[in-house]
Amino acid sequence: MSSFTPKSDFLQVMTERGFIHQCSDLAGLDALASGGKLVGYIGFDCTAPSLHVGSMVQIMCLHWLQQTGNRPIALMGGGTTRVGDPTGRDESRKILTLEDIERNKNGIKQAFSRFLTFGDTGTDALMTDNAEWLTKLNWIEMLRDIGKHFSVNRMLAMDSVKLRLEREHEMSFIEFNYMILQAYDYVVLSQRYGCNLQMGGSDQWGNIVNGLDLGRRMGTPQLYALTTPLITLASGAKMGKTASGAVWLNPDMKSPYEYWQFWRNTEDADVARFLKLFTTLPMSEIERLAALQGAEINEAKKALADAATTLLHGPAAARVAAETARKTFEDGIAADTLPTVTVAGADLMAGLGVLNAFVTAGLTASTGEARRQIKGGGLRVNGIVLTNEHAMLTPADAINEGAIKLSMGKKRHILLRPVD
RNA sequence: GGGGGAAUGUCCCGAGCGGCAAAGGGGGCGGACUGUAAAUCCGCUGGCUAUGCCUUCGUAGGUUCGAGUCCUACUUCCCCCA
């Protein structure tokens, strides 16, 4: 596969930026892509109210698909989430309520508009929900039309099932059916929209290939599969977690500033790879940035943070985030654009204990943790290390544009702003 | 159907003679060193109105001054026999 030289823009971009892990037929796919005849989809689970950076690779795949003259489909898993994908899990998922799934779906939709141009013609992106057809399936019809194409022998041999069986972990019948539904999705999308490519993370290979098979048996045109590598950090950790939890894409769950910070803190060894995957900067520029050594590599990290944040939150928000970071870390002053938490002015007037202040700000989970952090020298008020856990905050401490800057560690800062 | 074993700090794994807020890891957080990096070293890693009080070892009872530890029943999981 490494010897294959793609001719299409799509596969050239995917290859040189490191998006390709496995493909069912690179040459066939290349031919279709050259003519702008690809209609590719990726399914997104509705298990959380927002996508997180872990899905960025997938989103970028759709983005490039469109940028190179093909049509992307973002498929919401409103139906499949009701069943639950057992892939990569050795315990059953808990079954989500329909209301939760609906809420999650609406939250997840938000992120896409920045990356894709939606519409009804040509290369316009499409968003659809597999609940639309899956919930209408009739059990007997489904068994006769779809079920007959599936071999239980083969299903049992699939990794997602085999692992559970080997470890003698429970796999319920509902989960066992997941792969059938995902395969069926692909066929439906093929029939409705001429979809001929499904992409996904490398763990989805089995599910995607099932779709290919089902399509062949049900008489669709040739379908293709393309998976992306699992993105881990150079240090081996799974990507997407930070001090303050998962890196969500929705701004109400993770501010643009925090998103910018996430990329700014990328490990040296990951910078070049991430620039290729998570920005649309030209390859020549990426090569220049990747060549930076030592402390200079920080310039590359800023470029990564700027570009990635611009993609998700827009240029204005990215500029603010970068400026906030510059003031905070390089000038050491409190930018009024830092994440802010408000307190009642009256409470502050009466004197607010520092322990409770840090809990209110969300920097520590409990007053106990705040106490321990103070012992370890980890908390600061207006930049000054806090040593007295009994200290009280008063309006006189609101010296940064009328707010108090609370910090935990070197990187996490919150403005506590009194309001009436 | 019969016999044996197991469930531990709500992140995970895991030790635990009747005196236990409970060993040890991993992970996470903080500190030092740096470049807002990695690696390394050090500290912390139930809650609170805090020299005390409250809640934690599958669930519910019991024995005991005192139970994660002993007894009984139940739930779930694993192993062996049929």
Side-chain angles (χ1 to χ4, degrees):
Chain A
M1 163 161 126
S2 52
S3 58
F4 180 79
T5 309
K7 291 186 259 314
S8 64
D9 290 347
F10 175 62
L11 282 186
Q12 272 176 24
V13 169
M14 295 293 275
T15 305
E16 71 185 1
R17 288 185 178 257
F19 281 97
I20 298 179
H21 174 72
Q22 216 172 346
C23 180
S24 60
D25 175 9
L26 275 176
L29 194 61
D30 197 36
L32 279 177
S34 300
K37 295 199 182 88
L38 279 182
V39 180
Y41 95 94
I42 297 177
F44 295 88
D45 259 353
C46 302
T47 47
S50 163
L51 295 175
H52 53 84
V53 274
S55 300
M56 274 306 307
V57 178
Q58 285 17 288
I59 296 175
M60 292 306 290
C61 284
L62 292 178
H63 174 81
W64 286 118
L65 189 66
Q66 185 167 48
Q67 293 306 307
T68 54
N70 297 284
R71 181 170 209 195
I73 299 176
L75 178 69
M76 298 293 110
T80 33
T81 304
R82 298 189 196 181
V83 171
D85 184 359
T87 306
R89 302 184 150 250
D90 53 12
E91 275 172 43
S92 295
R93 277 175 196 273
K94 58 170 178 274
I95 296 182
L96 297 169
T97 65
L98 298 188
E99 296 75 50
D100 282 344
I101 293 172
E102 192 60 23
R103 194 173 327 117
N104 291 343
K105 189 177 85 187
N106 290 326
I108 285 169
K109 282 181 177 175
Q110 290 180 32
F112 286 94
S113 59
R114 293 275 182 195
F115 297 89
L116 302 173
T117 306
F118 288 91
D120 293 320
T121 54
T123 63
D124 286 349
L126 198 72
M127 178 176 288
T128 182
D129 179 351
N130 58 21
E132 204 179 300
W133 52 86
L134 293 181
T135 55
K136 290 181 188 137
L137 285 176
N138 168 293
W139 178 240
I140 299 292
E141 278 176 31
M142 193 202 111
L143 288 178
R144 290 177 61 93
D145 297 345
I146 310 165
K148 70 175 175 194
H149 297 300
F150 280 84
S151 147
V152 171
N153 308 48
R154 269 197 30 221
M155 290 170 74
L156 291 175
M158 289 195 54
D159 277 352
S160 57
V161 178
K162 199 172 63 184
L163 284 173
R164 289 270 192 101
L165 292 178
E166 278 171 0
R167 297 185 193 172
E168 309 204 15
H169 281 148
E170 173 86 3
M171 161 159 294
S172 66
F173 186 64
I174 181 174
E175 292 175 285
F176 185 59
N177 280 271
Y178 180 88
M179 65 177 96
I180 295 180
L181 299 182
Q182 184 167 336
Y184 181 61
D185 279 347
Y186 199 171
V187 173
V188 170
L189 290 172
S190 166
Q191 292 167 344
R192 290 195 180 189
Y193 307 111
C195 177
N196 47 19
L197 170 65
Q198 181 181 178
M199 299 180 281
S202 54
D203 60 334
Q204 291 296 315
W205 180 254
N207 285 332
I208 297 174
V209 166
N210 267 330
L212 253 64
D213 269 6
L214 183 63
R216 183 162 50 239
R217 287 162 207 258
M218 292 180 73
T220 66
Q222 179 64 54
L223 304 179
Y224 295 85
L226 182 65
T227 56
T228 57
L230 178 69
I231 308 299
T232 53
L233 304 186
S235 56
K238 211 171 169 184
M239 180 184 172
K241 287 287 176 84
T242 65
S244 40
V247 182
W248 302 108
L249 300 188
N250 289 4
D252 51 337
M253 294 175 69
K254 195 82 178 171
S255 67
Y257 167 75
E258 290 173 291
Y259 192 72
W260 194 93
Q261 281 297 320
F262 169 75
W263 295 107
R264 174 64 182 82
N265 285 305
T266 298
E267 295 174 23
D268 287 8
D270 289 324
V271 173
R273 195 161 49 108
F274 285 5
L275 280 166
K276 287 188 226 165
L277 289 168
F278 301 113
T279 78
T280 52
L281 295 175
M283 288 300 286
S284 55
E285 173 69 359
I286 291 176
E287 276 159 29
R288 185 187 70 78
L289 290 167
L292 296 174
Q293 292 295 318
E296 286 195 331
I297 202 168
N298 283 327
E299 290 312 309
K301 292 184 188 182
K302 286 181 202 168
L304 170 63
D306 284 345
T309 308
T310 300
L311 271 177
L312 179 63
H313 295 299
R319 217 173 305 116
V320 171
E323 182 58 15
T324 304
R326 197 187 61 72
K327 282 187 187 161
T328 305
F329 290 95
E330 293 177 23
D331 297 349
I333 59 175
D336 62 354
T337 43
L338 278 170
T340 300
V341 171
T342 58
V343 288
D347 290 352
L348 193 59
M349 199 69 81
L352 179 61
V354 285
L355 297 176
N356 284 319
F358 274 92
V359 174
T360 305
L363 287 171
T364 61
S366 65
T367 58
E369 188 189 353
R371 263 178 245 272
R372 282 180 237 119
Q373 289 293 359
I374 289 171
K375 279 201 192 90
L379 299 188
R380 276 169 297 154
V381 174
N382 290 327
I384 297 167
V385 175
L386 190 57
T387 52
N388 176 13
E389 66 180 46
H390 298 296
M392 301 294 263
L393 297 179
T394 66
D397 293 304
I399 55 172
N400 294 295
E401 314 266 350
I404 306 171
K405 184 171 118 178
L406 302 180
S407 314
M408 171 148 104
K410 297 271 192 290
K411 298 186 187 173
R412 302 173 63 191
H413 310 278
I414 295 280
L415 288 184
L416 200 62
R417 189 177 293 283
V419 292
D420 296 322

